[in-house]
């Protein structure tokens, strides 16, 4: 797989320009490290991912990339995070509609319309997805943005689990995403 390191993108650079299978992808690698801990002692990979996406977008200023753009996250913190953490970071908070009077759930689990999503149909369409690099030979995972202007070709990353982050189909995926752990 031919690649180039430190590829200039105008307002800065990305770590890799990769050519494979007739496509080109820009990748920027960020580490999730121990940082300020919340009152329960958890490391919040959610905030790291959101911040890293914002920093990646800032590298392009107003010039959207014409190629697929992927954030690569590596877990160097002291704790694991899950696919559910990634889903919340990319598509916002997850919830249900609950009728207080009837005490019934009126909708399936879904991403909340005002759930502070990083990727939406109108915002951040330049990021094609998040690639979680698992160290120690475990399977890598690529979370594909359903809103990307330049999606990554399926199978571009070899030996990688691909997950389409379609917000309308999240209900059936939550248990599996919660069981998917990314260890340091």
């Amino acid at each position: 797989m031919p690649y180039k390191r430190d590829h200039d993108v105008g307002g800065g650079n990305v770590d890799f320009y990769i050519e494979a299978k007739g496509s080109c992808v820009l990748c920027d690698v960020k580490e999730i490290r121990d940082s300020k801990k919340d009152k329960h002692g958890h490391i919040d990979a959610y905030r790291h991912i959101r911040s890293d996406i914002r920093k990646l977008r800032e590298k392009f200023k107003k010039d959207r990339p014409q190629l697929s753009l992927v954030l690569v996250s590596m877990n160097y913190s002291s704790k694991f995070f899950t696919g559910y953490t990634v889903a919340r970071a990319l598509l916002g908070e997850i919830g249900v509609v609950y009728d207080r009077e009837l005490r019934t759930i009126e909708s399936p689990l879904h991403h909340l319309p005002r759930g502070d999503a990083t990727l939406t149909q109108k915002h951040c369409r330049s990021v094609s997805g998040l690639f979680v690099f698992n160290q120690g030979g475990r399977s890598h995972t690529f979370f594909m943005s359903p809103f990307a202007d330049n999606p990554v070709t399926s199978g571009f990353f070899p030996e990688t689990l691909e997950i389409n982050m379609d917000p309308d189909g999240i209900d059936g995926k939550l248990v599996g995403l919660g069981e998917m752990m990314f260890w340091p």
Side-chain angles (χ1 to χ4, degrees), residues 5-179:
R5 289 209 40 155
D6 298 322
H7 182 72
D8 182 39
V9 293
N13 69 351
V14 292
D15 295 317
F16 295 98
Y17 171 94
I18 303 171
E19 291 182 42
K21 300 182 181 183
S23 298
C24 301
V25 175
L26 301 172
C27 295
D28 207 44
V29 181
K30 298 292 183 196
E31 299 173 352
I32 295 174
R33 294 260 184 202
D34 289 350
S35 60
K36 296 179 182 177
K37 297 181 180 184
D38 69 8
K39 61 185 175 185
H40 302 291
H42 299 115
I43 295 164
D44 195 359
Y46 166 86
R47 285 190 175 90
H48 282 274
I49 292 168
R50 290 177 56 80
S51 173
D52 291 342
I53 287 174
R54 184 177 62 339
K55 290 174 190 172
L56 179 56
R57 289 181 64 231
E58 288 172 357
K59 289 184 179 188
F60 290 88
K61 310 260 186 237
K62 294 184 181 195
D63 298 326
R64 284 189 179 182
Q66 299 302 309
L67 300 173
S68 300
L69 177 63
V70 174
L71 173 65
V72 178
S73 289
M74 300 176 72
N75 189 5
Y76 284 105
S77 71
S78 61
K79 301 202 180 196
F80 71 88
F81 62 92
T82 67
Y84 178 78
T85 305
V86 174
R88 284 182 47 234
L90 298 180
L91 299 177
E93 294 300 330
I94 299 167
V96 297
V97 175
Y98 182 76
D99 187 322
R100 289 185 194 189
E101 291 179 16
L102 297 175
R103 295 185 180 194
T104 59
I105 296 174
E106 300 293 317
S107 74
L109 284 170
H110 62 281
H111 285 280
L112 302 174
R114 300 186 62 83
D116 201 20
T118 303
L119 306 177
T120 69
Q121 289 177 334
K122 297 180 182 178
H123 181 72
C124 195
R125 295 187 333 254
S126 59
V127 176
S128 304
L130 175 76
F131 183 97
V132 180
F133 184 88
N134 250 338
Q135 303 171 61
R138 293 178 291 241
S139 177
H140 310 299
T141 307
F142 179 54
F143 295 87
M144 300 179 288
S145 170
F147 310 117
D149 285 340
N150 302 302
V152 174
T153 305
S154 183
F156 182 86
F157 297 109
E159 300 178 31
T160 299
L161 174 63
E162 294 177 348
I163 298 176
N164 183 356
M165 295 303 298
D166 179 7
D168 295 329
I170 200 67
D171 183 30
K173 293 182 185 176
L174 285 178
V175 172
L177 290 174
E179 293 173 347

